[in-house]
């Protein structure tokens, strides 16, 4: 008999167009294996997720940039088809923010954690997160939000070069603009050029002190804050490999006990009154040893299945159990358990894993997505290589503003070990700047390159 209430279906909502979002598949499998009926509201055309045997039905998603009213209309249509209350699980920041705003309107068709509706938006906003951390006493890299080009240049001088530049609300970045959420800049001019694109970006530019990379400095914490505010399920993890190597999603993660990270996560969510699933990214400062919070993602991270304990509990199951008033089992953390995204780290997927490992795509009880992923990935790689060949022979086009890397929810620098890419980096991947961080506008090999493809965006990772 399932621990979960299988009378209550789940609806996974993802607005971001990303066919290789393995976190969505993880949620489908987690709930589907427990007998829950799973509906997916996402762009699944060309995605391996649609091949999962645990998907009950696929539904068209809201359009990119959809208003809250348009998102609500889509969810009401899905609710009408399901014809009974369902647990709603946002899988990206835009969805989490919309669900927070629409909670009262969507009830009783959807079950959602009860908290201030603006809180997901507040913590996802990178400028507001700096204020949140300051108020809560959580270490955060010194951050300045300039109001003019002159203030931008002055902020760079104050923080020192290199400096990290971020758009405060990356989910608002327009498609095709070449703008990305995060970049390292190495001159005042580069920072000013980014600032001048603020109207196009749709949110404020902030400048943040650069924290140098190093061994065992990139950490994340996934958790679920239940109706009482207690953090259940999840745990601290260490990023061992990333893809893209410079600043990407977690290609290999390891469940690693870390009382300092755990204490910071529990203290922050407790002081905020946060309820629901969250994914935090930390960077340990090499000189002080303090863990600085870099990002707060109010939804599951793509590698959340890493934290599946001895009772089979993960943050997605914890959410469903809690919202349906079922008790959460007391499992034992499985320290040393690994999670591998096999198309980004194929060799790691083949190595022995004595303490257990889960692959992002391949599973013996759900083979369709893994087989589909390799077929789609092969075509993707071939297309990228053809693009490289074409770019190498074509006449260079006039160079527009340089793209910056969108890495919402992931640390900004590489893990200690190199990633094992399936293919060499394509030309539209950013060259690295200081210590492997993506270079800023003005790097000669960057200008005029197309946007990074969806599978390389860190949806959180």
């Amino acid at each position: 008999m399932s621990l979960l209430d299988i009378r209550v279906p789940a609806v996974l909502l993802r607005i971001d167009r990303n066919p290789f979002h393995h976190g969505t598949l993880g949620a489908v499998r987690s709930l589907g294996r427990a007998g829950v009926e799973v509906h997916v509201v996402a762009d699944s055309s060309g995605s391996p997720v649609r091949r999962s045997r645990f998907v009950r039905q696929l539904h068209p998603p809201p359009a990119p940039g959809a208003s809250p009213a348009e998102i609500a209309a889509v969810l009401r249509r899905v609710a009408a088809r399901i014809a009974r209350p369902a647990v709603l699980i946002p899988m990206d920041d835009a969805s989490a923010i919309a669900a927070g705003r629409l909670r009262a309107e969507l009830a009783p068709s959807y079950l959602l954690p009860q908290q201030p509706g603006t809180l997901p938006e507040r913590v996802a906003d990178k400028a507001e997160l700096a204020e949140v951390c300051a108020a809560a006493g959580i270490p955060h890299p010194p951050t300045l939000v300039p109001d003019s080009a002159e203030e931008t240049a002055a902020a760079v001088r104050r923080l020192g070069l290199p400096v990290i530049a971020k758009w405060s609300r990356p989910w608002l970045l327009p498609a095709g603009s070449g703008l990305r959420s995060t970049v390292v800049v190495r001159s005042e001019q580069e920072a000013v050029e980014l600032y001048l694109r603020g109207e196009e970006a749709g949110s404020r530019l902030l400048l943040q002190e650069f924290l140098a990379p190093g061994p065992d400095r990139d950490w994340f914490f996934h958790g679920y804050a239940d109706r009482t505010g207690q953090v259940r399920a999840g745990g601290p993890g260490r990023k061992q490999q990333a893809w893209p190597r410079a600043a990407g999603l977690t290609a290999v993660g390891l469940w690693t006990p870390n009382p300092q990270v755990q204490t910071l996560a529990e203290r922050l969510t407790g002081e905020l009154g946060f309820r629901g699933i969250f994914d935090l990214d930390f960077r340990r400062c090499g000189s002080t040893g303090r863990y600085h919070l870099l990002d707060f993602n109010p939804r599951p991270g793509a590698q959340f299945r890493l934290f599946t304990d001895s009772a089979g509990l993960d943050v997605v199951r914890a959410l469903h159990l809690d919202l349906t008033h079922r008790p959460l089992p007391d499992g034992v953390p499985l320290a040393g358990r690994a999670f591998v995204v096999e198309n980004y780290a194929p060799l790691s997927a083949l190595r022995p894993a004595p303490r257990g490992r889960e692959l992002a795509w391949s599973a013996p009880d759900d083979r369709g997505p893994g087989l589909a992923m390799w077929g789609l990935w092969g075509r993707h790689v071939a297309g990228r290589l053809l693009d490289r060949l074409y770019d190498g022979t074509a006449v260079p086009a006039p160079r527009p503003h340089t793209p910056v890397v969108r890495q919402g929810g992931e640390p900004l620098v590489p893990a200690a070990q190199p990633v094992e890419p399936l293919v060499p980096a394509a030309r539209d991947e950013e060259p690295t700047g200081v210590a492997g961080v993506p270079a800023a506008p003005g790097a000669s090999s960057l200008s005029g390159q197309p946007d990074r493809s969806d599978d390389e965006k860190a949806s959180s990772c």
Side-chain angles (χ1 to χ4, degrees):
M1 181 177 178
S2 176
L3 289 173
L4 280 69
D5 188 343
I6 62 174
R7 297 170 300 176
V8 181
V11 174
L12 309 183
L13 173 64
R14 198 183 74 243
I15 297 174
D16 177 54
R17 288 342 198 214
N18 182 356
F20 292 102
H21 188 257
H22 50 273
T24 301
L25 177 61
V28 166
R29 286 172 169 168
S30 176
L31 296 171
R33 286 168 176 154
V36 174
E37 180 181 309
V38 182
H39 294 256
V40 178
V41 184
D43 182 7
S44 299
S45 57
S47 172
V49 174
R50 67 184 300 113
R51 295 287 301 277
S52 175
R53 71 184 186 90
F54 297 113
V55 173
R56 174 61 64 91
Q57 189 171 355
L58 297 165
H59 304 267
S67 68
E70 291 168 332
I71 295 170
V74 169
L75 290 174
R76 282 195 294 268
R77 286 196 293 270
V78 174
R81 293 173 185 171
I82 297 175
R84 61 190 189 278
V87 172
L88 180 61
I89 307 176
M91 296 303 299
D92 60 5
D93 288 345
S95 299
I97 292 165
R101 291 180 180 178
L102 297 168
R103 182 183 181 277
E105 182 178 345
L106 294 175
S109 298
Y110 292 101
L111 306 180
L112 283 161
Q114 188 168 2
Q115 63 180 344
T118 58
L119 186 54
E121 187 170 3
R122 185 180 173 205
V123 296
D125 186 305
K126 298 178 188 299
E128 292 206 30
L129 181 61
E131 299 174 7
V132 166
C133 289
I138 302 294
H140 184 78
T143 301
L144 300 173
V145 184
D147 287 325
S148 67
E150 292 75 16
E151 287 188 17
T152 301
V156 171
R157 292 192 295 270
R158 180 176 171 184
L159 294 171
L161 291 170
V163 66
I164 300 299
K166 297 181 177 180
W167 297 109
S168 63
R169 299 187 172 196
W171 61 90
L172 297 179
L173 293 175
S177 67
L179 291 170
R180 307 284 180 163
S181 73
T182 303
V183 68
V184 61
V185 298
R186 294 176 290 177
S187 72
E188 293 179 19
Q189 180 182 353
E190 292 165 0
V192 169
E193 288 177 355
L194 280 177
Y195 173 82
L196 294 175
R197 301 188 71 184
E199 183 175 353
E200 179 185 1
S203 65
R204 297 176 292 174
L205 181 74
L206 61 90
L207 300 175
Q208 195 171 86
E209 184 178 282
F210 174 78
L211 293 180
D216 299 334
R217 292 188 186 176
D218 288 325
W219 292 77
F220 47 87
F221 186 94
H222 293 200
Y224 173 71
D226 67 14
R227 285 172 290 137
T228 69
Q230 182 180 356
V231 175
R232 309 289 300 273
R238 181 163 50 89
K239 181 184 289 191
Q240 290 190 304
Q241 295 181 21
W243 179 262
R245 188 177 303 180
L249 55 80
T250 299
V252 181
L254 194 69
W255 192 341
T256 308
N258 189 319
Q260 290 177 271
V261 169
Q262 179 124 9
T263 297
L264 289 172
E266 293 175 349
R267 193 173 91 209
L268 179 59
T269 55
E271 293 197 19
L272 289 172
F274 186 87
R275 301 290 185 270
I277 300 173
F278 61 92
D279 165 25
L280 309 179
D281 288 308
F282 293 90
R283 163 62 57 80
R284 181 171 60 84
C285 178
S287 57
T288 66
R290 301 175 78 197
Y291 290 87
H292 292 250
L293 181 66
L294 300 181
D295 284 299
F296 189 129
N297 304 301
R299 39 76 181 172
Q303 73 272 28
F304 79 90
R305 283 289 299 169
L306 169 64
F307 304 105
T308 305
D309 66 17
S310 62
L313 188 68
D314 59 36
V315 295
V316 167
R317 288 187 176 185
L319 171 73
H320 194 283
L321 286 164
D322 190 45
L323 294 184
T324 56
H325 298 266
R326 291 290 184 104
L328 276 64
D330 294 320
V332 176
L334 301 178
R337 189 171 189 266
F339 183 85
V340 179
V341 187
E342 58 269 39
N343 51 319
Y344 298 126
L347 296 182
S348 291
L350 298 174
R351 292 179 182 135
R355 297 190 179 182
R357 173 180 57 211
E358 181 159 333
L359 300 180
W361 298 105
S362 303
D365 65 340
D366 190 29
R367 297 185 181 277
L371 295 173
M373 183 277 294
W374 287 116
L376 293 166
W377 189 251
R379 289 196 291 273
H380 165 75
V381 169
R384 294 292 295 276
L385 292 175
L386 288 174
D387 287 344
R388 291 184 67 184
L389 178 63
Y390 176 79
D391 288 346
T393 58
V395 177
R399 293 183 172 185
H401 288 283
T402 305
V404 292
V405 70
R406 179 182 182 182
Q407 302 296 351
E410 284 292 335
L412 302 176
V413 297
Q417 300 180 24
V419 74
E420 302 157 347
L422 188 64
V423 294
R427 284 191 59 183
D428 61 344
E429 291 167 3
E430 291 80 353
T432 56
V434 179
V437 182
S444 60
S445 59
L446 267 174
S447 301
Q449 294 168 356
D451 287 351
R452 185 185 299 278
S453 58
D454 282 340
D455 61 286
E456 293 162 340
K457 295 177 184 176
S459 306
S460 169
C461 343

